[in-house]
Amino acid sequence: MNENILQIQHPVLSISNLMIAYGKDKSAVRDVTADVKRNAITAIMGPSGCGKSTLLRAINRMHELYPNIQTTGDILLNGESIYKMSTTRLRRKIGMVFQRPNPFPTMSIYENVIAGYDLNGSKLKKGEKDAIVESSLHDVGLFEEVKDSLNKKGNFLSGGQQQRLCIARALAFKPEVILMDEPTSALDPLSTAKIEDLLVELKKQYTIVLVTHNMSQAARISDNAMFMYLGELVEYDKTKKMFTNPADSRTEGYLTGKFG
Amino acid sequence: MDSKERIAEGENSNWRERKDKLFFGIVVILSFITISPIALILYKLIVKGYKQINLDFFFKVAPDTLQAMTAVRNGELLPGGIANGITGTLLMVAVASVIAIPLSILIGIFLYENQGKQYANLIRSLTDILQGVPSVVLGIIAYIWIVQGITKGFSALAGSVALAIMMLPLIIRSTEETLKMLPISIKEAGAALGVPYHKIILKVMIPSGFSGLMTGILLSISRVIGETAPLMLTTLGSTAINLNITKPTSAVPLQIWEFYNNPNMIDLVWSSSLFLLGFVLTLNIIAKRISNQFN
């Protein structure tokens, strides 16, 4: 339906007929088909329980951690089905940032950034590690702030800094896509603004898929937007178009605050 | 507000203050009543037991009856100490820990990972039942399994097995509770980095809950270190230091029992009890420290 309007060339992700159900008959995502544009921010909006987090987590197969999950349909990453990759390889290419900053509490800032390599048993030389840590922290604008305390634990940082540390941890793998599940919902407005600026900066190198409850955030930073309702992808379009002239009455109802 | 109301309010707050003080007083009195047993026990043990606590007490084995009798007749301190008991206790607790800690941490992880599942609930209930099994019964079981079945005679190993069974439920529950307290988001963070499941548990969850696990382990050790009944049935006791786990071995609580049965060695009952209680209290304080750090 909407792909025609978006005209996405060489999508980085292409979701086709994706259905996800918890248990026998509780379907969370119903027949979603959509392409995600490279080097852009795609926002997924919708009321609580509409399936937006499940859809996001399906993209790196994190939803498989829940019990009794059933998935049909397919998701292609650069043309390759994610169900044919190992989760380790998939999640190197598709990073994830969560609602609440979740640095590993026992690790230092340095160890947190390099954790993806260390925990997977990659043998890197000290110099290679240093370079990855420095460039990842640079990318999230945290390097200057923490360069003298790289060996301190991550929890002494402020909430916003912790979230940027978590983004750096995801960036360390140089992923294709970064999934973000309401990354600013636990942060104060100032930290939120910093993260939003960062995302706009990051989309030059990465593709970002962002679940957000915050409509103004979607309007401010996203290029394309999906609106989901009761597990269905109701509308998927350029953000500007969706906010000014939504095609579906349900989208309009949500954006004007009639429900949600 | 007119003056009458204000007066009424004043009286009211007076009454409230008095009520407050009254309750405070009751709480203080009840607290004293609660701690008085431990205070009285400590007092008695220190007064009666301090004399025997010297270097020999830690480094020499228990005296024989003749030595004790001679010392009592001459009004001297009892010679010797409880080195055979201390080494035996440490040996058995160490072996019990080697058996119980890995096993119960694995079961604790299993229970944590299978919340709400029926078989996990069954195992949890069985664990609770195990905690309620009288220690002397565990002693009999260890006697049949180990003393009759493996070592063909009383042995430290049999005692260790009895103690290990006692430690299991405590560590299992504390492991599960500790893991439940950790935010699920750290586990997700590991999974999102593509880290395999066993490494998330070993390298992320266990280190994050380390102090919680440590607290559970220390408390379980302090719980079994003073056990007497199962050891009587399994390790019997020994007058010499023994570090061979297939042979009968002494333990501090066993020695207390032996000293109690010998009218000449009553003084050693007090000092050994003081030592044992001090050891358990120290373990508890360390456990408390570690768990505070965790929270």
Side-chain angles (χ1 to χ4, degrees), chain A residues 57 62 65 88 91 96 98 102 104-106 116 119-120 169 173, chain B residues 185-186 188-196 199 203-204 207-208:
Chain A
R57 281 160 183 254
M62 282 285 283
L65 291 178
T88 304
R91 290 172 191 166
M96 189 161 207
F98 296 84
N102 55 358
F104 296 119
T106 53
L119 292 177
N120 279 312
R169 182 174 65 189
F173 274 144
Chain B
S185 61
I186 339 177
E188 288 187 325
L193 292 171
V195 182
K199 280 197 183 162
K203 293 196 170 172
V204 178
S208 303

Side-chain angles (χ1 to χ4, degrees), chain B residues 107 111 120-134 138 165-166 168-174 176-177:
Chain B
I107 298 173
L111 292 181
N121 289 338
L122 180 71
I123 291 175
R124 201 175 290 115
S125 318
L126 289 176
T127 310
D128 288 344
I129 294 170
L130 186 58
Q131 192 160 8
V133 176
L138 297 176
I165 298 174
M166 292 191 69
L168 283 175
L170 295 162
I171 309 180
I172 291 173
R173 288 315 286 270
S174 78
E176 188 190 359
E177 294 305 317

